[in-house]
């Protein structure tokens, strides 16, 4: 049975809901979740940044054999996206079918349900990307 | 009469999910007569959508038009009868997702299909009283009709959001007056743990919808000194295509003033979002100086009616975000089997 780790889901909500991330003040590296030290330059000095909600689709793949906990929305599409500020990010694509997707097309972030705990029923919401409207 | 001094819509947004099912397709499954269907088609949420995600979609559009930092929003209230959680407010998730936390009030309102206009009354009052600078009122629903029931043809999904502020210079429309008309009428209800609502068919029209809307609107016009000539558009709750037109007729309102905001034929009854999406549709086309009559209906039962005057700001702000038509026209038809999966009628 698939379970969601509630404290971790809660800790990550700034990024999952709003793309609020951390930027290293020393080397500029973007960290999605609060880091202790920068993976690139070992600095401990960070600022909060909100990543842009729009970007372009670099690549995608259709997931037909989902990992546990993701069955309810299968098949679904995972995209590799370059946001307008150059940040590259993985995310599910939504409101689209694979045949509608083109490399380089504009996409925008939206909040969606990503999975539900099968026992406690808590809902995990997260950013996904959809073709720009 | 109690005048509203300063409550203006500074941003608005409507959201309709991508998927549609035709009434004909539902009729095919249940062997119904296809000649008299209440709507053409209805909007169906995606597998990853619920009331909260649709509320966030509409809110983000409203924020784009308002052009204010979300941290200035002091209240987020969601009117809905399809909260994802029985206990755990939708408002907190929406407030968090748009960045309005933590200095914010965030409760959910429930009053069947008028929960959204009820949230709007509350936000309007908080702003008018000077308690908050900006507030966000949302009507959103993923309505469920029992398979085979008459409601299944219309119960649809959508959301509408309004940011209310005080400054007319940044407004798209001014809320001039509102009133409510409420009685205990058992026309439609759902008990806890029940999946689908029950309704008293013979109550639905006259004692419920028409009685409450007509009296609410009459009271508003009389108390606040308006006449039908002051009204350029009339938007009613839209459980089907016929009811709002009959309500207009009963009130003596020209049908041509009602049709511009009548969208239920293409998206179905979006419950708490229904009349508010009609308002969004009208704001997408209205001109400064025009007046809109808005009257919701919620089973149980009651009607909130509003007089809203369009301001100069509409012209610029309308173009800052996608209009409702973008979402109405963005559609993909699904058959009953896919619909059953989307609306969790297939249990895994
Ligand atoms: Zn660094």
């Amino acid at each position: 049975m698939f379970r969601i780790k509630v404290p971790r889901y809660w800790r990550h909500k700034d990024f999952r809901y709003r793309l609020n991330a951390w930027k290293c003040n020393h080397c500029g590296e973007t960290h999605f979740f609060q880091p202790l030290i920068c993976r690139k330059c070992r600095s401990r000095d960070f600022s909060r940044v909100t990543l842009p909600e729009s970007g372009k689709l670099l690549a995608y793949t259709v997931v037909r054999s989902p990992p546990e906990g993701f069955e309810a929305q299968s098949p679904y599409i995972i995209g590799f996206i370059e946001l307008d500020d150059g940040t590259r990010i993985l995310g599910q694509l939504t409101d689209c079918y694979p045949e509608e997707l083109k490399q380089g097309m504009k996409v925008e972030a939206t909040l969606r349900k990503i999975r539900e705990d099968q026992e406690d029923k808590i809902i995990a919401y997260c950013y996904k990307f959809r073709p720009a409207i | 009469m109690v005048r509203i001094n300063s409550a203006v819509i500074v941003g608005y947004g409507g959201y309709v999910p991508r998927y549609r099912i035709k009434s004909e397709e539902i009729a095919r499954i249940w062997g119904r007569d296809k000649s008299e269907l209440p709507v053409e088609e209805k909007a169906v949420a995606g597998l990853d959508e619920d009331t909260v995600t649709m509320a966030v979609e509409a809110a983000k559009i409203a924020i784009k038009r308002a052009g204010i930092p979300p941290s200035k929003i002091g209240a987020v209230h969601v009117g809905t009868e399809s909260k994802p959680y029985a206990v755990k407010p939708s408002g907190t998730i929406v407030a968090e997702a748009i960045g309005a936390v933590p200095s914010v009030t965030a409760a959910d309102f429930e009053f069947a299909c008028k929960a959204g206009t009820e949230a709007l009354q509350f936000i309007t009052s908080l702003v008018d009283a000077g308690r908050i600078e900006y507030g966000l009122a949302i009507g959103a629903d993923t309505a469920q009709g029992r398979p085979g029931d008459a409601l299944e043809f219309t119960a649809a999904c959508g959301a509408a959001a309004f940011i209310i502020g005080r400054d007319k210079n940044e407004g798209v429309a001014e809320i001039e007056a509102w009133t409510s008309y409420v009685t205990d009428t058992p026309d439609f209800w759902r008990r806890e743990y029940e999946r689908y609502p029950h309704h008293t068919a013979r109550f639905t029209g006259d004692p419920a919808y028409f009685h409450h809307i007509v009296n609410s609107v009459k009271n508003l016009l009389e108390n606040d000194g308006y006449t039908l000539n002051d009204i350029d558009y009339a938007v009613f709750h839209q459980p089907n295509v016929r009811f709002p037109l009959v309500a207009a007729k009963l009130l003596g309102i020209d049908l041509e003033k009602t049709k511009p905001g009548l969208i239920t034929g293409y998206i179905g009854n979006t419950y708490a979002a229904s009349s508010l999406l009609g308002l969004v549709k009208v704001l997408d086309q209205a001109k400064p100086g025009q007046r809109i009559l808005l009257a919701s209906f919620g089973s149980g039962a009651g009607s909130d009616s509003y007089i809203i005057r369009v301001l100069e700001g509409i012209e610029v702000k309308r173009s800052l975000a996608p209009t409702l038509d973008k979402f109405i026209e963005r559609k993909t038809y699904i058959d009953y089997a896919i619909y059953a999966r989307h609306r969790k009628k297939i249990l895994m």
Side-chain angles (χ1 to χ4, degrees):
Chain A
M1 182 163 293
F2 175 72
R3 306 300 310 270
I4 288 173
K5 293 178 180 69
V6 178
R8 189 163 76 184
Y9 166 65
W10 176 79
R11 259 201 321 277
H12 291 170
K13 68 183 182 330
D14 274 6
F15 184 69
R16 292 186 192 277
Y17 287 12
R18 276 182 279 148
L19 298 178
N20 264 4
W22 301 81
K23 206 166 206 78
C24 172
N25 289 335
H26 187 240
C27 77
E29 177 81 346
T30 301
H31 300 255
F32 294 160
F33 305 116
Q34 186 170 12
L36 272 176
I37 54 169
C38 178
R39 71 173 86 83
K40 209 168 159 189
C41 77
R42 319 301 285 173
S43 161
R44 289 169 184 269
D45 184 20
F46 302 97
S47 307
R48 296 310 299 266
V49 287
T50 301
L51 302 180
E53 294 202 341
S54 61
K56 61 179 186 199
L57 181 63
L58 299 178
Y60 64 91
T61 187
V62 182
V63 177
R64 294 179 196 281
S65 305
E68 195 187 10
F70 292 90
E71 300 88 346
Q73 295 175 20
S74 166
Y76 56 86
I77 312 166
I78 295 273
F80 188 47
I81 285 111
E82 186 175 289
L83 300 176
D84 288 347
D85 70 346
T87 307
R88 291 181 168 197
I89 179 173
L90 275 174
Q92 280 193 31
L93 300 178
T94 187
D95 287 2
C96 59
Y97 296 97
E99 57 272 24
E100 297 166 348
L101 299 174
K102 283 195 300 280
Q103 218 179 38
M105 76 190 287
K106 294 289 286 177
V107 293
E108 60 193 18
T110 175
L111 188 80
R112 293 300 168 93
K113 287 194 294 185
I114 205 138
R115 52 188 173 167
E116 291 173 37
D117 186 286
Q118 290 171 347
E119 174 99 10
D120 288 345
K121 309 289 182 193
I122 193 157
I123 304 163
Y125 295 96
C126 186
Y127 66 86
K128 290 189 180 184
F129 293 91
R130 66 154 172 242
I133 288 175
Chain B
M1 93 183 167
V2 184
R3 275 277 168 179
I4 298 168
N5 292 313
S6 48
V8 298
I9 299 172
V10 299
Y12 69 95
Y15 176 79
V16 177
R18 175 176 176 173
Y19 306 97
R20 301 283 180 284
I21 185 166
K22 285 182 182 285
S23 281
E24 270 184 16
E25 170 70 0
I26 299 174
R28 180 180 72 88
I29 300 303
W30 304 110
R32 296 289 172 78
D33 181 6
K34 294 183 185 176
S35 62
E36 271 193 33
L37 297 170
V39 296
E40 191 75 22
E41 56 203 44
K42 68 170 188 174
V44 182
L47 285 169
D48 57 2
E49 293 185 284
D50 63 15
T51 290
V52 163
T53 67
M54 294 194 309
V56 171
E57 299 266 14
K60 282 167 111 172
I61 296 169
I63 291 168
K64 264 189 199 157
R65 288 206 171 98
I68 59 161
S71 56
K72 285 193 170 182
I73 295 172
V76 174
H77 294 283
V78 183
T80 181
E81 60 132 68
S82 47
K83 286 155 57 83
Y85 291 97
V87 177
K88 187 179 188 303
S90 310
T92 56
I93 311 171
V94 174
E96 184 86 48
I98 61 169
V101 288
S103 299
V104 66
T105 66
D108 295 353
F109 282 73
E110 194 279 316
F111 196 140
C113 296
K114 92 169 180 80
T117 54
E118 191 114 340
L120 184 61
Q121 284 179 330
F122 188 72
I123 295 288
T124 299
S125 305
L126 283 174
V127 170
D128 193 28
R131 302 294 306 178
I132 55 173
E133 194 176 355
Y134 296 100
L136 170 60
I138 301 172
D141 261 314
T142 52
Q144 287 276 16
R146 187 184 301 278
D149 186 274
L151 290 176
E152 193 184 20
F153 289 97
T154 53
C157 309
F162 297 85
I163 295 178
I164 307 299
R166 297 171 66 82
D167 185 359
K168 287 187 180 63
N169 293 321
E170 58 172 1
V172 300
E174 179 184 5
I175 297 178
E176 290 188 328
W178 58 255
T179 195
S180 290
Y181 186 94
V182 168
T183 69
D184 176 2
T185 305
D187 58 325
F188 173 102
W189 62 92
R190 177 165 61 85
R191 295 291 304 268
E192 201 161 18
Y193 309 118
E194 287 189 326
R195 193 169 162 77
Y196 299 111
H198 302 269
H199 52 103
T200 319
R202 68 181 202 88
F203 272 8
T204 304
D206 288 332
Y209 182 88
F210 297 115
H211 175 78
H212 291 82
I213 283 188
V214 166
N215 281 293
S216 168
V217 170
K218 277 188 173 163
N219 288 351
L220 180 73
L221 297 178
E222 276 168 29
N223 294 347
D224 291 87
Y226 293 97
T227 68
L228 291 181
N229 292 330
D230 297 322
I231 310 289
D232 299 290
Y233 296 98
V235 178
F236 300 104
H237 173 53
Q238 308 176 13
N240 52 48
V241 178
R242 197 176 70 87
F243 273 26
L245 296 172
V246 174
K249 219 171 181 175
L250 290 172
L251 284 160
I253 295 171
D254 190 348
L255 294 189
E256 296 312 310
K257 294 180 178 178
T258 306
K259 285 175 183 167
L262 188 52
I263 48 178
T264 194
Y266 320 109
I267 64 170
N269 177 4
T270 52
Y271 283 48
S274 176
S275 57
L276 291 176
L277 279 174
L279 175 59
V280 168
K281 172 76 181 175
V282 167
L283 288 173
D284 278 346
Q285 56 193 297
K287 293 184 178 61
Q290 291 188 315
R291 276 203 177 83
I292 305 163
L293 168 70
L294 167 72
S296 64
F297 171 75
S299 289
S303 169
D304 305 325
S305 53
Y306 289 76
I307 299 283
I308 297 164
R309 192 173 62 92
V310 182
L311 298 172
E312 296 290 335
I314 188 75
E315 309 280 15
V316 174
K317 286 197 165 177
R318 181 187 289 145
S319 60
L320 297 180
T323 58
L324 187 60
D325 275 346
K326 285 248 182 199
F327 292 98
I328 293 178
E329 285 156 16
R330 178 191 77 139
K331 62 180 175 184
T332 301
Y333 290 109
I334 54 176
D335 62 15
Y336 195 91
I338 298 286
Y339 164 77
R341 184 181 176 200
H342 276 238
R343 301 306 299 128
K344 296 212 162 60
K345 292 171 200 300
I346 300 171
L347 298 177
M348 289 160 71

